[in-house]
Amino acid sequence: MKKFVNDPANFVPEMLEGVALANPDMLGYIPKFNIIHRSDRPVNNKVSVIQGSGSGHEPAHIMAVGPGMLDAAVPGNVFAAPPMDYCLECIRAMKSDAGVLVLINNYQGDRMNWDMACEMAEAEGINVKSFVIDDDVAVQDSSYTTGRRGVAGNFFVIKACGAAAERGASLDELLTLCDKVNSQVRSMGVALTSCTPPAKGSPIFDLGNDEMEVGVGIHGEPGRRRDKLKPSDAIMDEIFDAVAGDIPFKSGDKVALMINGLGGTPPSELYVLYRRAAQRCKDAGISVVRNYVGNYCTSLEMAGASLTMLRLDDQLEDLLAAPAEIATRVF
Amino acid sequence: MKKFVNDPANFVPEMLEGVALANPDMLGYIPKFNIIHRSDRPVNNKVSVIQGSGSGHEPAHIMAVGPGMLDAAVPGNVFAAPPMDYCLECIRAMKSDAGVLVLINNYQGDRMNWDMACEMAEAEGINVKSFVIDDDVAVQDSSYTTGRRGVAGNFFVIKACGAAAERGASLDELLTLCDKVNSQVRSMGVALTSCTPPAKGSPIFDLGNDEMEVGVGIHGEPGRRRDKLKPSDAIMDEIFDAVAGDIPFKSGDKVALMINGLGGTPPSELYVLYRRAAQRCKDAGISVVRNYVGNYCTSLEMAGASLTMLRLDDQLEDLLAAPAEIATRVF
């Protein structure tokens, strides 16, 4: 295992401590429950938007906390759902008169723990609702899900809800918005290598030197098939067809286009992929009005990438362009 | 070779095309000479700040082009200096009444080609000056350099000069500023894996399963020594001592602290490294007033990271906080 890690048991707490130390003014940190939150939250009259899932997908979700994005994130261990009591403490810490919205990616562990936490919070009189994201077109059911998985499309649900909540949207309005984004966003990814959780110390699956996993999940779950590695354009063509064909996207659509790196793929390759995706959109008469190229939802150091497309209307275009601030400094 | 690549000979042009397609309003692209430039440049009465070096270090330098940063970048092939005529064409394309400033990282190939290009541009009557950056404390001379190498510290020279040029600084004032930043910035990196240039198809060096290269260069050049992999904190302690001990940084100093990923290391590990670096600064009485954690200067998909520290005064602190815009969308 070649990683920057001390005791693997402390990997997540040390990462969280690093994030908190790097953002002393903007973020608060509750070590006992792995909670990273906006230092100025909760605020009454604003819905708190929160999320918690396994670690190992950074910058999702702890580095998506900030004004106009998430109000708090509560990660579990690497690739493990946060314990129910962590979820409940996060809801309690972020409770607001306007309510709490929990964004859940569709994995059984996450859903189970959040469902229990929401029930207990409601029993305490907290106004909390949840929404499940399932944007991955690769497979209908998978190792850890009934139904489709939630992957990088989650970013757009966070951004839209974060912006709308900042403008005063109610909890019901946010649930309607979640449903709109989730119904219009589709993703699919490809892995070129496996990855190694620090506490496991060995790769979570094996992939031959000339192989790729088409439709991989963000925890290494099997996708549609294993295939021989192909040229970049051929790979993009396959995932573009799968993603664009799913709603389907059609000529005249305006979209946000994301090429998401899975952790170990450098920016140069992501832009080679973007080039082909942009060409395919142009050929299909689809207008890319906003684009994202980088690491948004990773699988530790996995080499690979995913494509996410979101169909936009005026409301979504406006919300994506809203100001936001997160725990990542670019310049 | 497990990469998103088509014909390796087209890797750099396809990446550049991707960057241009992703930024149709902000960036211009001159395919014949690999030039990416601000679409609103050159502007008279403003010095043009440009850079060109090997590809494979993205986001440096093509994704550092934008208002308040570089006015243009002209990359060569992967890990190869841009040809002299590319450099010359870039100077010509960006010439301004206020002059052109070329920022060069200290590698023999880059220096030779830029020196020739600057001479030829001067012979054409263009007012052009260059500055050489050499922030890497790992070794005094190396495979491709006489003197120290230029690595991630380059980011701070770009940011400071980009901000000052935007405010109307003269070419002479920018040269003085370059000298100030370069004299106050120090870096050192560690590689956990090698990396594979697409055209080569095999790793540029071999590293055992339990080994790391301490003080590695951004093209895989040997560092101070090869060692057994250690816990993350022990690795950071060694590079922190080397970097902080070099000027040396001292109690009471204000610094910008950067943990730079070399391409294949995920954000989680970079924050584990940041945590220790921040603790070490605190213990040493050094105040971190600005921090950067992410990929700024990479070596393709190499797993590894570097530490950069810049000592700040009021002028530098102000310039680092100036607005800027580059070809990377975070949210």
Side-chain angles (χ1 to χ4, degrees):
Chain A
M1 178 171 65
K2 304 199 92 173
K3 287 179 180 291
F4 294 107
V5 58
N6 296 302
D7 179 349
N10 294 332
F11 184 70
V12 170
E14 288 181 355
M15 168 184 70
L16 296 176
E17 194 182 341
V19 170
L21 284 168
N23 300 276
D25 298 327
M26 199 173 86
L27 299 180
Y29 173 38
I30 306 173
K32 188 174 177 189
F33 299 105
N34 280 6
I35 297 171
I36 292 279
H37 63 89
R38 279 176 63 174
S39 53
D40 58 348
R41 291 294 152 202
V43 167
N44 280 328
N45 303 319
K46 179 196 167 304
V47 175
S48 292
V49 183
I50 67 175
Q51 183 160 68
S53 188
S55 291
H57 306 301
E58 294 71 26
H61 316 285
I62 49 170
M63 297 158 205
V65 175
M69 297 284 286
L70 291 176
D71 292 285
V74 53
N77 277 327
V78 171
F79 295 169
M84 190 281 288
D85 54 324
Y86 288 32
C87 299
L88 178 58
E89 286 298 333
C90 188
I91 296 170
R92 285 174 176 158
M94 305 309 292
K95 75 177 173 185
S96 147
D97 287 352
V100 177
L101 173 64
V102 183
L103 301 178
I104 306 173
N105 282 294
N106 188 29
Y107 297 97
Q108 283 153 4
D110 291 333
R111 290 187 69 162
M112 191 171 65
N113 291 359
W114 278 111
D115 284 353
M116 285 192 294
C118 287
E119 267 184 47
M120 294 183 70
E122 280 176 341
E124 294 175 8
I126 299 176
N127 181 19
V128 57
K129 302 284 180 194
S130 64
F131 184 85
V132 176
I133 299 150
D134 58 352
D135 57 307
D136 187 346
V137 306
V139 290
Q140 288 301 327
D141 296 296
S142 76
S143 325
Y144 308 125
T145 60
T146 303
R148 290 177 163 187
R149 301 174 294 220
V151 290
N154 172 55
F155 170 88
F156 291 111
V157 182
I158 293 174
K159 182 67 175 78
C161 285
E166 210 68 41
R167 293 174 181 178
S170 71
L171 190 50
D172 282 344
E173 287 167 338
L174 291 180
L175 284 166
T176 303
L177 178 62
C178 284
D179 195 53
K180 182 178 189 174
V181 176
N182 192 54
S183 73
Q184 301 298 319
V185 69
R186 297 293 186 272
S187 302
M188 188 161 131
V190 174
L192 306 190
T193 69
S194 185
C195 64
T196 298
K200 183 169 189 292
S202 59
I204 53 175
F205 66 100
D206 291 314
L207 201 53
N209 275 334
D210 59 348
E211 288 183 326
M212 60 179 177
E213 181 72 33
V214 179
V216 71
I218 56 172
H219 317 90
E221 307 96 301
R224 292 185 172 189
R225 69 173 194 287
R226 189 154 297 188
D227 202 350
K228 296 293 176 194
L229 191 59
K230 293 180 179 172
S232 180
D233 285 357
I235 296 171
M236 178 48 69
D237 282 347
E238 175 166 357
I239 60 176
F240 185 90
D241 288 341
V243 167
D246 194 80
I247 289 187
F249 293 82
K250 56 186 193 303
S251 180
D253 280 351
K254 294 189 300 181
V255 300
L257 185 62
M258 174 185 279
I259 303 295
N260 170 57
L262 293 182
T265 287
S268 49
E269 295 176 46
L270 299 180
Y271 278 95
V272 170
L273 289 167
Y274 180 83
R275 168 186 158 276
R276 183 63 172 184
Q279 288 171 343
R280 289 296 310 272
C281 282
K282 190 178 177 196
D283 293 346
I286 296 168
S287 176
V288 180
V289 298
R290 201 166 174 87
N291 62 69
Y292 301 78
V293 184
N295 289 353
Y296 291 89
C297 182
T298 62
S299 298
L300 296 169
E301 76 284 6
M302 184 182 285
S306 62
L307 169 71
T308 297
M309 283 172 65
L310 167 65
R311 183 152 58 186
L312 299 174
D313 61 8
D314 290 346
Q315 182 198 20
L316 294 184
E317 196 176 340
D318 179 52
L319 289 171
L320 290 190
E325 190 183 340
I326 57 172
T328 298
R329 171 159 289 141
V330 180
F331 49 71
Chain B
M1 176 171 66
K2 304 200 91 172
K3 285 178 182 293
F4 295 107
V5 58
N6 296 300
D7 180 348
N10 295 332
F11 184 71
V12 170
E14 289 181 355
M15 167 184 69
L16 296 176
E17 195 182 341
V19 170
L21 284 168
N23 299 276
D25 299 326
M26 199 175 86
L27 298 180
Y29 172 38
I30 306 173
K32 189 174 175 188
F33 299 105
N34 279 7
I35 296 170
I36 293 278
H37 63 89
R38 278 176 64 173
S39 53
D40 59 347
R41 292 293 154 207
V43 167
N44 280 328
N45 303 320
K46 177 193 168 307
V47 175
S48 292
V49 182
I50 69 174
Q51 184 160 68
S53 189
S55 290
H57 306 301
E58 293 73 25
H61 316 286
I62 50 172
M63 297 157 205
V65 175
M69 296 285 283
L70 290 176
D71 292 285
V74 53
N77 278 326
V78 171
F79 295 168
M84 191 280 288
D85 55 324
Y86 288 32
C87 299
L88 179 57
E89 286 298 334
C90 188
I91 296 170
R92 285 174 175 156
M94 304 309 291
K95 75 178 175 187
S96 148
D97 288 351
V100 177
L101 173 64
V102 183
L103 301 179
I104 306 173
N105 282 294
N106 188 30
Y107 298 98
Q108 282 151 6
D110 292 333
R111 292 188 67 163
M112 191 171 65
N113 291 359
W114 278 110
D115 284 352
M116 284 192 295
C118 287
E119 267 184 47
M120 294 184 69
E122 280 177 341
E124 294 175 8
I126 299 174
N127 181 20
V128 56
K129 302 285 179 193
S130 65
F131 184 85
V132 176
I133 299 149
D134 58 351
D135 56 308
D136 188 346
V137 305
V139 290
Q140 288 301 324
D141 297 297
S142 75
S143 324
Y144 308 125
T145 61
T146 304
R148 289 177 163 185
R149 301 174 296 219
V151 290
N154 172 56
F155 170 88
F156 292 109
V157 182
I158 293 174
K159 182 67 175 78
C161 284
E166 211 67 42
R167 294 174 181 178
S170 70
L171 190 48
D172 282 344
E173 287 168 339
L174 291 180
L175 285 167
T176 302
L177 179 61
C178 285
D179 194 54
K180 182 179 188 173
V181 176
N182 193 55
S183 72
Q184 301 297 320
V185 68
R186 296 292 186 274
S187 300
M188 190 162 128
V190 174
L192 306 191
T193 69
S194 185
C195 64
T196 298
K200 185 171 188 290
S202 60
I204 52 174
F205 66 99
D206 293 313
L207 201 51
N209 275 335
D210 58 349
E211 287 182 328
M212 61 178 175
E213 182 71 33
V214 179
V216 70
I218 56 173
H219 316 90
E221 308 97 298
R224 293 186 170 186
R225 69 174 195 287
R226 189 155 297 187
D227 202 351
K228 296 294 177 193
L229 191 59
K230 293 180 178 170
S232 181
D233 285 356
I235 297 172
M236 178 49 68
D237 282 347
E238 174 166 359
I239 62 176
F240 185 89
D241 288 341
V243 166
D246 195 79
I247 289 186
F249 293 81
K250 57 187 192 304
S251 180
D253 281 350
K254 293 190 300 180
V255 300
L257 185 63
M258 173 186 280
I259 303 295
N260 169 58
L262 294 181
T265 288
S268 49
E269 295 176 47
L270 299 181
Y271 278 95
V272 171
L273 289 168
Y274 180 81
R275 168 187 158 276
R276 184 62 172 183
Q279 288 171 341
R280 289 295 311 270
C281 280
K282 190 177 178 199
D283 292 346
I286 296 168
S287 175
V288 180
V289 297
R290 201 166 174 87
N291 62 69
Y292 301 78
V293 184
N295 288 354
Y296 291 87
C297 182
T298 61
S299 297
L300 297 167
E301 77 283 8
M302 184 181 286
S306 62
L307 168 70
T308 296
M309 283 172 66
L310 168 64
R311 183 152 59 185
L312 299 174
D313 60 9
D314 291 345
Q315 181 198 19
L316 294 183
E317 196 175 341
D318 180 51
L319 289 171
L320 290 190
E325 191 184 339
I326 57 172
T328 299
R329 172 159 290 140
V330 180
F331 47 71

